[in-house]
Amino acid sequence: MGNGEANLNSTETWKIRKFGIIAFIFFGILCTLGLWFRKPVPTYLFGFLSFVGLGFMLNPLRLRPVYSGWMKIAHLIGRTVTILLLALAYYLVITPSALIKRVFGGRPLPFKPDKGASSYWVARTEPVQPKERFLKRY
């Protein structure tokens, strides 16, 4: 198990309490909004989740398995959403822009080598920058 995995599955008491505070406040606000708009399903669901958050604050050791399961599901959802968003970005943004570039602007790299060229080196036209600039980039 790598360093990153140990942090993701950590079940330290203070982390569970911190998560409980956040869950209690967040789901409590959503429950209140459900009451405000007179929607019973969100009210009961978020009310229950708010009480689970209260349980995480008051008795974190007993609810440690619930917390671990919650975190595993959250990480699975996060990985799934990340994969979907990256796939959508690739197929809906990068691929069409590359196709448009090829149709209207040529290709960024030559596909066939030029047998007559002795080198593919491109000579610089702008002045060389001082070494100090590379030590302090920003």
Side-chain angles (χ1 to χ4, degrees):
M1 196 160 47
N3 245 354
E5 290 180 42
N7 291 337
L8 294 178
N9 297 324
S10 178
T11 53
E12 296 175 15
T13 305
W14 68 272
K15 286 187 179 184
I16 298 174
R17 279 203 172 107
K18 180 179 170 185
F19 176 76
I21 292 169
I22 294 169
F24 179 70
I25 293 170
F26 178 73
F27 292 125
I29 290 170
L30 292 178
C31 177
T32 305
L33 287 174
L35 284 170
W36 181 269
F37 290 111
R38 295 189 174 111
K39 302 287 183 182
V41 174
T43 302
Y44 294 132
L45 175 67
F46 296 131
F48 171 74
L49 292 174
S50 181
F51 278 112
V52 170
L54 183 66
F56 284 140
M57 286 190 306
L58 298 178
N59 199 353
L61 294 176
R62 185 168 245 189
L63 291 177
R64 183 174 284 174
V66 176
Y67 174 78
S68 294
W70 189 314
M71 288 295 112
K72 286 179 184 175
I73 291 170
H75 289 293
L76 177 67
I77 291 171
R79 287 180 61 182
T80 304
V81 169
T82 300
I83 290 169
L84 286 174
L85 288 177
L86 287 173
L88 285 173
Y90 182 78
Y91 289 113
L92 296 178
V93 176
I94 296 171
T95 301
S97 63
L99 291 174
I100 291 170
K101 168 94 171 127
R102 283 187 181 187
V103 169
F104 294 110
R107 297 173 189 236
L109 297 174
F111 283 101
K112 295 179 182 176
D114 183 9
K115 293 183 182 183
S118 62
S119 172
Y120 287 106
W121 182 263
V122 178
R124 287 182 70 136
T125 56
E126 65 269 359
V128 177
Q129 298 177 4
K131 292 179 186 177
E132 293 80 26
R133 181 172 185 307
F134 293 106
L135 296 175
K136 194 171 185 181
R137 291 188 196 171
Y138 304 106

